[in-house]
Amino acid sequence: MPNAVFLGTGHFVPDCVVTNEELAELMDTSDEWIQQRTGIQQRRFVDFDKEPMGASDLGTRAARNALDAAGMSTDHVDCIIYATLSPDKAFPGDGVLVQAKLDIPAGVPAFDIRNQCSGFLYGLQMANAFIRQGVYNNVLLIGSEVHSSGLEFADRGREVSVIFGDGGAAAVLGASDDNERGVLGVTLHADGRFAEVLETSCPSSALNPRVTKEMLDTGAQYPRMQGKLVFKNAVQRMPEAVSKVLAEHDVEPKDIKLLIPHQANLRISEMVQRRLGLRDDQVFNNIQKYGNTTAASIPLALDEAVKEGRLQKGDLLVLTAFGAGFTWGAALVRW
Ligand code: COA
């Protein structure tokens, strides 16, 4: 049975840097509040006046960079898995849009998955299973988000709008006969009883019409979150999932070269690190620069870690995520 190895990673973020001070001009917040609670210093937003872009555009450029890093042409991609909560359109999904924009041959399947901040890990589990079973050889796995056009930059939305940023990132996974390397295991979980704790409720197929002016006036088109409850569950579920995947493979936390937690909040990452007993050099964070980019956050951090030389062949890498749904999980990879 072949192993699924990472052949290349890449990312793309818009040029436009938005600082906490700039957000403080739009609503009652401050650099101090944002940095103290979240560690975020800035994020990237699409500049819709200069160069409008959807999540599929960011995902396309990220995928191109990942394919280049893998030294692979689009002809070799035999499956696309695309994770986002901010697709360009209600349908069709961004997977086929990326396929067309990259000129990936007609006939190649494109999956769209909706697992929010856990989207990349859910996609990784799929890619791993496909490759190990010999269904597909080279899977292009993309996580991409444009949040900035869907946030409420006013006092009512401030708890949510200060934490999210735009970005796309991707990885190419391929079949390898090297049984020492690759994805060793993925553990995934969900608990739909918490679905309303973090959600955007409108437009909705459960409503007719799906959106009205009255709904828009109440801000139902914007994400709403019970921040403290999300925080509490995130710092419990991510260490739990990491401990599970490590135990399944007889790995101790001290043996991990790098943990990349989903970049939700630097305070969450720090608490996950403490609960797992990891040193600072074992954990990679870049939320300070990008905010929470949801499905893009893990591959964006992974790509930066790779470019900074933080992973060498044979190193043990752990990825973990928690997000809306709730959904969460962890993956263990031998790089
Ligand atoms: N700027 C200033 N004040 C803000 C604010 C902002 N952007 N957002 C909310 N506040 C205010 C609230 O209105 C509240 O005021 P009140 O006490 O007068 O009612 C107060 O700040 C809340 O402060 P606190 O209780 O200390 O906030 P917190 O420690 O819970 O931090 C979050 C808020 C959002 C940073 C935190 O709950 C969090 O990170 N949760 C997880 C979010 C997350 O990761 N979501 C994505 C999941 S993948």
Side-chain angles (χ1 to χ4, degrees):
M1 203 181 265
N3 273 357
V5 298
F6 280 82
L7 299 176
T9 57
H11 77 265
F12 176 81
V13 290
D15 290 338
C16 174
V17 173
V18 177
T19 62
N20 295 340
E21 286 86 356
E22 286 172 276
L23 292 185
E25 288 168 18
L26 304 173
M27 56 196 150
D28 184 11
T29 190
S30 66
D31 177 48
E32 191 195 358
W33 192 97
I34 299 170
Q35 287 216 45
Q36 207 174 62
R37 301 298 201 295
T38 71
I40 299 166
Q41 296 166 9
Q42 59 183 51
R43 72 285 295 139
R44 303 296 182 99
F45 281 172
V46 169
D47 185 338
F48 280 90
D49 294 329
K50 225 165 107 190
E51 193 184 6
M53 281 189 280
S56 77
D57 297 305
L58 273 53
T60 298
R61 296 192 199 190
R64 164 62 62 207
N65 291 338
L67 287 163
D68 287 349
M72 195 182 272
S73 86
T74 50
D75 291 345
H76 292 110
V77 174
D78 49 17
C79 174
I80 302 163
I81 303 175
Y82 186 106
T84 190
L85 67 66
S86 52
D88 294 26
K89 309 173 189 207
F91 74 89
D94 277 7
V96 295
L97 302 184
V98 170
Q99 177 179 28
K101 287 174 186 174
L102 275 180
D103 222 3
I104 291 174
V108 169
F111 293 86
D112 284 85
I113 56 169
R114 295 279 309 271
N115 303 95
Q116 298 72 245
C117 300
S118 308
F120 188 79
L121 283 190
Y122 269 68
L124 186 64
Q125 174 81 304
M126 291 169 69
N128 185 39
F130 286 149
I131 290 169
R132 288 180 67 81
Q133 295 299 322
V135 181
Y136 304 115
N137 282 322
N138 295 311
V139 179
L140 176 58
L141 174 56
I142 304 166
S144 185
E145 309 283 359
V146 171
H147 282 298
S148 55
S149 50
L151 298 172
E152 186 172 29
F153 296 105
D155 290 358
R156 187 173 60 178
R158 64 182 178 169
E159 189 182 6
V160 177
S161 48
V162 298
I163 64 180
F164 289 107
D166 299 342
V172 184
L173 287 120
S176 165
D177 294 330
D178 183 348
N179 56 16
E180 299 287 307
R181 293 179 61 221
V183 179
L184 304 181
V186 185
T187 180
L188 296 179
H189 308 276
D191 188 346
R193 290 171 302 175
F194 292 93
E196 290 174 8
V197 170
L198 177 51
E199 66 164 7
T200 300
S201 59
C202 158
S204 165
S205 65
L207 302 170
N208 191 4
R210 293 180 176 192
V211 57
T212 62
K213 172 150 187 335
E214 288 69 36
M215 290 175 212
L216 296 179
D217 289 343
T218 66
Q221 72 277 28
Y222 298 119
R224 297 276 170 247
M225 167 178 82
Q226 296 176 39
K228 280 190 197 304
L229 192 55
V230 173
F231 195 108
K232 198 174 134 215
N233 279 272
V235 298
Q236 181 188 340
R237 294 307 197 180
M238 285 195 277
E240 245 172 48
V242 170
S243 299
K244 181 169 183 285
V245 82
L246 293 185
E248 283 166 1
H249 295 86
D250 284 328
V251 172
E252 302 276 337
K254 67 174 173 41
D255 302 325
I256 299 174
K257 179 67 193 299
L258 207 58
L259 169 77
I260 298 182
H262 162 55
Q263 301 292 291
N265 177 327
L266 192 58
R267 309 301 159 229
I268 292 178
S269 296
E270 288 165 351
M271 207 171 276
V272 169
Q273 173 181 343
R274 268 203 304 281
R275 289 193 170 177
L276 290 166
L278 299 175
R279 302 180 308 271
D280 287 353
D281 66 279
Q282 288 178 289
V283 184
F284 189 87
N285 290 301
N286 63 1
I287 190 170
Q288 300 90 332
K289 294 188 289 181
Y290 301 115
N292 178 346
T293 58
T294 309
S297 105
I298 289 180
L300 173 52
L302 176 60
D303 188 43
E304 289 205 336
V306 168
K307 295 204 162 103
E308 288 177 22
R310 298 282 296 271
L311 284 168
Q312 306 302 323
K313 200 171 165 184
D315 285 343
L316 282 173
L317 164 71
V318 176
L319 310 173
T320 186
F322 179 87
F326 291 145
T327 56
W328 68 97
L332 178 65
V333 178
R334 169 99 45 204
W335 195 253

